Amino acid sequence: MTIRDAYLQGREHLQAVPVTEPAIEAEVLLRFVLGWDRARLYTHWDGPMPEAELTRYRALLAERAGGRPVHYIVGEREFMGLSFAIDERVLIPRPETEVLVEHVVRWAADEHAATIADIGTGCGAIAITLASMLAGITVHATDISTGALEVARGNARRHGVADRIHFHAGDLLAALPATLRGELHVIASNPPYVPEDQAVLLAREIREFEPPVAIFVPGDGSALHRRLIDSAPEWLRPGGLLAVEVGAGQAEPVGEIVRADGRYTDVRLLPDAIGIERVVAARRRSGSEGVSSGGRK
């Protein structure tokens, strides 16, 4: 059997399950088993498939067919050009979160921000990407899961930014050291926002394998956004930025909560690449600023 034959068998196996991207996932698993990059895979396309690797490949295909996400199987996920080690203790990073990171990077660079908090850090994708892209900043990353923080610390070491990220175990902003009150330039968060009663609508691989504490919340999905909006002003400097990721259809309701609070200005709803509003961002008002309804960007 050639490498190509093994790939075609894998693709057909995953098509029959089915999974959303059988061709991509069959290739990812094949390259993982062989320890090859894509260029080597295709330059050796017609070479023989080693028997031991074929056996392992088939075992991983069966694991994927059983619902386990491919990124947990290979133990890695790329996010904004960086590779993050992941397992079932953390949510798999997704492209939607890039909108949040890109906005924070632009804002922090323009405002010369020095201290950022990432609330609910998971594998550390937001905190580590910000530290990698913004030289000189300090990040405080929190999570309620000690297992998630263990993964995040490993990723911080992996990317050489462990000296600029401080990890804190606990619930949202309450996990931060009291000395940071009123000192943060930015609070960024991708909190859980899927209503618990919508779990049945999610793909099995999300519902059964990713950590529920990182996905689901009671009610309409805005419970943690409300808590962050309520607490953030006491932690932000005047003019500091709060930026939170939201689910599809949640941006306008969450934006209204921010506007109604009265302590924020410049409220923005930021879309992803296909036009879905994924981030609500606003600045803490200083005493001299009036209330602004903000808008979309």
Side-chain angles (χ1 to χ4, degrees):
M1 178 177 290
T2 65
I3 302 292
R4 182 177 182 274
D5 292 334
Y7 163 75
L8 292 174
Q9 281 192 6
R11 186 183 68 183
E12 290 172 7
H13 184 74
L14 295 182
Q15 282 174 335
V17 173
V19 301
T20 305
E21 298 179 315
I24 293 173
E25 295 194 7
E27 180 190 314
V28 168
L29 292 175
L30 183 57
R31 289 195 287 113
F32 176 67
V33 164
L34 293 169
W36 294 356
D37 60 20
R38 192 169 219 192
R40 186 173 181 188
L41 179 70
Y42 287 113
T43 55
H44 291 74
W45 200 231
D46 295 317
M49 180 72 182
E51 191 63 34
E53 281 76 3
L54 178 61
T55 299
R56 188 179 179 212
Y57 182 50
R58 287 172 172 165
L60 295 186
L61 289 167
E63 193 174 346
R64 180 65 186 98
R68 191 180 184 211
V70 68
H71 300 294
Y72 287 152
I73 294 173
V74 302
E76 290 195 352
R77 171 68 164 171
E78 184 176 304
F79 180 79
M80 295 191 72
L82 299 176
S83 180
F84 290 87
I86 60 167
D87 58 31
E88 280 84 349
R89 292 174 291 177
V90 297
L91 192 73
I92 299 171
R94 288 171 168 80
E96 295 88 342
T97 306
E98 294 181 8
V99 180
L100 174 66
V101 174
E102 288 167 353
H103 182 68
V104 171
V105 167
R106 287 192 299 268
W107 192 93
D110 289 344
E111 299 293 327
H112 307 289
T115 310
I116 295 175
D118 171 27
I119 307 303
T121 195
C123 73
I126 293 174
I128 292 164
T129 303
L130 291 173
S132 298
M133 298 181 73
L134 294 165
I137 67 161
T138 298
V139 182
H140 290 266
T142 77
D143 206 288
I144 199 168
S145 165
T146 56
L149 290 173
E150 186 177 339
V151 175
R153 288 188 182 97
N155 281 319
R157 291 191 295 269
R158 181 180 196 173
H159 292 292
V161 293
D163 60 328
R164 292 193 289 120
I165 302 180
H166 304 280
F167 294 99
H168 310 281
D171 185 29
L172 300 181
L173 291 159
L176 294 171
T179 53
L180 291 176
R181 290 181 186 274
E183 297 299 323
L184 294 173
H185 292 94
V186 179
I187 294 172
S189 181
N190 175 20
Y193 52 67
V194 179
E196 289 174 336
D197 61 5
Q198 292 183 14
V200 294
L201 304 178
L202 297 181
R204 177 189 176 195
E205 60 194 65
I206 300 173
R207 189 175 65 250
E208 296 185 7
F209 290 88
E210 297 197 60
V213 69
I215 301 174
F216 301 111
V217 287
D220 64 0
S222 67
L224 297 186
H225 296 96
R226 292 174 185 273
R227 289 179 58 197
L228 287 167
I229 292 162
D230 181 61
S231 300
E234 68 182 276
W235 294 91
L236 287 169
R237 292 173 177 240
L241 177 72
L242 171 66
V244 293
E245 182 173 329
V246 296
Q250 294 178 340
E252 188 59 51
V254 171
E256 283 302 317
I257 295 167
V258 178
R259 295 183 186 102
D261 182 277
R263 294 174 293 170
Y264 296 91
T265 187
D266 192 23
V267 182
R268 296 172 181 265
L269 312 183
L270 309 175
D272 63 17
I274 60 173
I276 297 174
E277 290 169 337
R278 288 288 182 184
V279 171
V280 176
R283 291 189 301 109
R284 179 196 160 189
R285 279 200 301 128
S286 63
S288 61
E289 290 179 304
V291 178
S292 169
S293 61
R296 289 170 172 80
K297 181 178 180 181

